[in-house]
Structures are given as structure tokens and as C-alpha cells.
Amino acid sequence: MSGQAHILLVDDDTDLLRLLTMRLTAAGHAVQAVASAEAALAHLSVKLPALLITDVRLPGMDGLALFDEVRVHHPSLPVILLTAHGSIPDAVDATTRGAHAYLTKPFDGKELLDKVQQALRVNAPGPAPFDGDGAWRSEILSRSPRMAQVLSEARLVAATDASVLISGDSGTGKELLANAIHKASPRAAKPFVAVNCAAIPEALLESELFGHVKGAFTGAQGHRQGLIPAAHGGTVFLDEIGDMPLALQVKLLRVLQERMVRPVGSNEAVAVDVRVLSATHRDLELAMAEGQFRPDLFYRLNVVKLTLPPLSERREDIALLAQHFLTVLAERHRKPVRGFAPDALDALVTAPWPGNARQLYNVVEQVCVLATAPLVPLAQVQRALQMPVAEVLSYQHAKQRFERDYLNQLLKLTSGHVAEAARLADRNRTEFYRLMQKHGLDPQLFRTDTGPLASASDSGDSASSDESST
């Protein structure tokens, strides 16, 4: 296998760890070496390697427990176990449960490298369009290990023709993932047709999917090709499949089984060759239990299931996505904004995001179009998020703010007449002028000469006239 692979190596024997690191590095791999299963799990939460090599006997959590943990959270990650003679039965058992292989200590370097190459070949996706530069997934920005796992599995299944069911909350990017799978598949040069089953009225959905002939129903003035035949040779993506009416589920199942489409009003079926991807935010197993979704269609669509995590579970992606959205939107709206203030970015990262990436995009667009400075401030993000501004000031800042607001109110009330404002504040004019100077307030800004106190004489409003006042 060509190219550098990232390998996570786990062993509490420091001499062996150093030797294995040297051998794997000399073979052209990037190695991260750790001495415990707990440290390995920490690294897995940050970056997903191409291969995990772990000793079975480790302090604390042992290598078999680590393997079980990996099988749950990263099922496609290949694992090679290092074992002494006494733990060979455990290693053999682990291989029956999905470990790629085991090596019995002591082992030579060639044996190690052979097993590593085999594991990397198994995990490597087959050749496909756009594979070299990652353009197949270029619209999916992420540094999250959970997303890396989903993308790794998506890349593997893309090389096949298996049906894929993509689940996840609204706004998590199900259509983006479906499009990425299409781009990485042998069908990439053919059409990708997306259909939102929830957005099309039930009476029109059959015609939209399968097409119709002239006169099939009132208003059918000519032949129309359906969206499924339009995707011939390519991929059809059925979004929100859980909202498809039961009667239409039966007809869709027949299309998937027979690879034939019968347009509405026609007696002749048309052959179609499409790969079907589908998505839903609903719990289809619950829908089946309630009689709202056909089990036979579910099993036809759910050959491989990929689940997109909500944005709240991939917070390391929020800043990355927010900056990307801002860059794109600033160019579109011709705004000079280029980034977020640090506290504004913190507010984005810690927000709950029930609407996921779609909500994040909308928030960034709002702050972008209203931006008046190169950096988006915290207050603007809070407003877009409809967050209460929970500002805690120091005593000194709170006192200064109260003082400034109090002086503003008095000067507005007296239309900028300092003598009257000082009288209302029960302070002499010299002190009042000093306070105004402290806060940069100019009484002329408040002058209207039409207010309730406009008849007051201006002659007594100079600081010099009351230097002797007490």
C-alpha cells in the first residue's frame, strides 16, 4: 500500500514500543505510540488512525477491553493484537469477533509489516473518481473523530451498489453525505437526483417519482419522465423516506425489486438502473411497530445504515463551519466581515444548536448581513441566537455605567441645561461639569430649546460662572 498511514500503537513495554515505532516509521508510516488503553481512547477521540495495534496485557484496561470499545465506536477500524503465549486463546477469540489478526511475541519485523500491510489493504477504499484529493467529500467540513468514522464507512460503501439508509436529526447534512457517496461511487459520472418525500404533496408524489403519460389525470397534458427514471445509471436520494405514504411504499418496493418503473396511466414498465440512498430523521423501527412503515421496504433500504451525529456532539467542527460559512456569505453579500471576535466564537461553540448545521448557517448569515465591522462581536451573535445577554460587570464598571446613564437621563430631561440637571442631582454645577467631562458628555448634544425646561436661562450654565458656588 502506497502513502503514509497513521497507526496507533499501544504497549506498556517501553523497549518494545520504541522498537515497533522505529520499524513502522522506517516502513513509511506515521506512528503514535502510547502506553495504556486509556491513553489510546483519548487519542481516538481526537484523531482516527488507519490501524490500531495493541498488546493484550496492559495495566488498567487491557487490550481486549480496548478492542471491544473500538468495535462499538469505530467498527471499521482494523485491530492487530500483540499477545504472549498465555493469552493466545483470548486473541483467537478476539479474531472471531472482528480483530484483524494477532501476533505472538516474539515476532520478527517482516511478520509485523506483512500483517500491517494486509490490515491497511482491507481498510483502504477501492479506486473511485475524485479519490486522490478528497473532492468526493469536499462539501463536508469536519475534524470530528465521529464524523471521520462516518465518512470512512461511507467511503467503503460507496464502492458497492448497496442501499444506504442515512439517519440523523434535521439539519445534520444527510443530503451532503448522500451526494458524497455518489461522487465516490462508480456511478459518479451519472445523475444524482434528490427527492424530498415530505415536501411533495401525496397526490403528486407518485407522478414525481415514476412519471406519467398524457391524460393520466386532470392536467396531465403530456408525457413526463419521473425522477427515478431521470436518475438512470446514477443515484436517487429519497430524503425523509419515513414520510412516504404506505400505498406508495408498496409501489416503491416493487420498483426496487423488479428494477422496473411504470409511469402513472401507462400499461408499460420501463427498466431503470439506479442506486438508492435514503434518509430520515424519524425512528423507522418505531414507525414499523406502529404500522406506518413497511418492514419489507425498511430491510430493502437499510442494507447499510449510517448515522450522522448532531452538531452538539461534534463541537470541534462548529468554529470550522462558522468561519467557512462566514467567508462564503461575506463574498455573496459583499460584506467586509472576515471573522468572529473570540468571545463571539465561544458563544457559537457552546450554543445548543437544535437545528444543527442548517441553524448555524442561518445564524452566520444573519450576523454577516448585519455586520458593520471586520469582526463579528459577541452581542450580534447573542442576538442572532436569541440568547439573553448575561453580562456580569465588575463593581467599578457597573458604577461607571450607572453614572453615565444617570447623567444622560438628566441631560435629556433638562434638554442639556446643566444648572437644572445639577439641581435635580443635588450637586453643584462645578461637580456636575466634572462628571460630564469624566464621561465625555457635551451638554450641547442634548440642547433642543423646546423641552419643558427650555426657558431656563443659559447664562448660569457656564462652569466659570459658578466656580464660587457651594
Side-chain angles (χ1 to χ4, degrees):
M1 177 180 176
S2 61
Q4 187 182 65
H6 174 59
I7 298 174
L8 180 59
L9 181 60
V10 192
D11 202 307
D12 63 329
D13 184 334
T14 55
D15 292 334
L16 182 59
L17 199 63
R18 187 181 303 109
L19 177 61
L20 292 176
T21 300
M22 291 172 60
R23 284 178 174 169
L24 292 170
T25 303
H29 303 301
V31 180
Q32 178 66 56
V34 296
S36 69
E38 291 81 3
L41 290 174
H43 281 278
L44 286 170
S45 69
V46 176
K47 182 178 181 180
L48 194 67
L51 171 65
L52 171 66
I53 303 175
T54 180
D55 191 9
V56 170
R57 298 294 171 89
L58 293 169
M61 176 188 285
D62 65 21
L64 295 175
L66 173 60
F67 165 74
D68 290 336
E69 191 79 11
V70 167
R71 287 277 69 78
V72 172
H73 299 289
H74 310 288
S76 65
L77 176 62
V79 179
I80 294 176
L81 299 171
L82 307 178
T83 177
H85 286 286
S87 56
I88 288 178
D90 290 334
V92 172
D93 177 61
T95 58
T96 64
R97 292 186 286 119
H100 175 76
Y102 68 91
L103 289 171
T104 305
K105 299 177 181 178
F107 46 82
D108 63 34
K110 184 178 184 305
E111 183 183 14
L112 169 69
L113 294 178
D114 286 346
K115 294 291 187 184
V116 167
Q117 293 301 327
Q118 290 171 13
L120 293 176
R121 278 196 297 270
V122 168
N123 193 39
F130 308 105
D131 189 44
D133 59 2
W136 70 278
R137 50 146 296 181
S138 60
E139 295 183 46
I140 303 176
L141 301 179
S142 178
R143 57 169 67 100
S144 161
R146 288 196 58 185
M147 279 298 294
Q149 178 66 33
V150 173
L151 291 170
S152 175
E153 294 174 359
R155 185 63 188 83
L156 289 171
V157 76
T160 73
D161 232 15
S163 297
V164 180
L165 177 63
I166 304 171
S167 66
D169 296 343
S170 295
T172 50
K174 296 186 288 292
E175 184 171 344
L176 286 178
L177 182 61
N179 203 355
I181 292 172
H182 171 72
K183 287 180 179 179
S185 77
R187 297 176 178 267
K190 298 295 184 177
F192 173 81
V193 178
V195 185
N196 190 322
C197 299
I200 302 174
E202 182 175 341
L204 298 178
L205 186 54
E206 181 178 0
S207 173
E208 287 292 315
L209 288 175
F210 307 140
H212 64 256
V213 297
K214 183 178 180 179
F217 49 84
T218 302
Q221 299 179 356
H223 173 75
R224 180 175 180 180
Q225 185 183 40
L227 294 173
I228 291 180
H232 183 72
T235 303
V236 63
F237 172 56
L238 302 176
D239 197 7
E240 300 303 350
I241 189 70
D243 293 326
M244 179 176 285
L246 276 169
L248 196 53
Q249 290 178 28
V250 178
K251 297 179 180 180
L252 175 62
L253 179 62
R254 185 177 299 116
V255 169
L256 299 180
Q257 290 173 335
E258 300 175 0
R259 298 289 178 176
M260 302 287 287
V261 168
R262 189 185 304 276
V264 177
S266 174
N267 293 323
E268 296 183 3
V270 179
V272 290
D273 172 26
V274 294
R275 198 255 184 95
V276 178
L277 307 177
S278 54
T280 182
H281 72 282
R282 296 185 62 189
D283 184 341
L284 291 187
E285 294 184 355
L286 178 61
M288 284 192 296
E290 295 174 347
Q292 298 176 0
F293 202 84
R294 293 183 60 90
D296 44 7
L297 178 59
F298 172 78
Y299 294 119
R300 173 72 65 169
L301 297 173
N302 190 34
V303 176
V304 176
K305 184 176 182 179
L306 300 176
T307 302
L308 284 169
L311 192 58
S312 60
E313 295 180 11
R314 42 182 286 222
R315 293 192 178 275
E316 57 269 58
D317 288 342
I318 293 175
L320 180 69
L321 290 169
Q323 185 58 54
H324 170 72
F325 293 156
L326 187 66
T327 301
V328 172
L329 291 165
E331 181 177 357
R332 178 184 304 171
H333 296 296
R334 298 183 296 278
K335 301 290 288 189
V337 61
R338 66 172 188 270
F340 295 88
D343 52 358
L345 202 56
D346 288 344
L348 290 174
V349 171
T350 56
W353 300 116
N356 296 290
R358 186 179 296 126
Q359 181 191 4
L360 174 61
Y361 182 92
N362 290 341
V363 166
V364 173
E365 184 163 24
Q366 179 177 332
V367 300
C368 177
V369 298
L370 296 177
T372 58
L375 291 181
V376 177
L378 171 63
Q380 204 169 357
V381 168
Q382 289 175 322
R383 177 185 175 188
L385 288 169
Q386 299 182 343
M387 293 171 59
V389 181
E391 185 180 14
V392 179
L393 300 176
S394 67
Y395 171 78
Q396 185 62 29
H397 286 165
K399 178 182 177 183
Q400 289 177 354
R401 176 174 293 185
F402 170 79
E403 212 172 62
R404 183 181 65 250
D405 292 344
Y406 178 69
L407 295 175
N408 266 292
Q409 290 175 9
L410 288 178
L411 290 169
K412 286 179 182 178
L413 179 64
T414 61
S415 299
H417 291 270
V418 179
E420 186 61 26
R423 186 187 66 77
L424 292 174
D426 196 23
R427 291 291 182 269
N428 65 53
R429 281 179 291 178
T430 301
E431 182 182 359
F432 202 87
Y433 269 109
R434 190 177 299 115
L435 289 171
M436 286 195 304
Q437 185 177 17
K438 172 184 174 183
H439 293 285
L441 299 175
D442 183 353
Q444 295 296 329
L445 296 175
F446 300 89
R447 290 291 176 90
T448 63
D449 292 329
T450 58
L453 301 174
S455 59
S457 171
D458 292 347
S459 61
D461 276 2
S462 66
S464 60
S465 66
D466 76 328
E467 285 299 326
S468 60
S469 300
T470 58

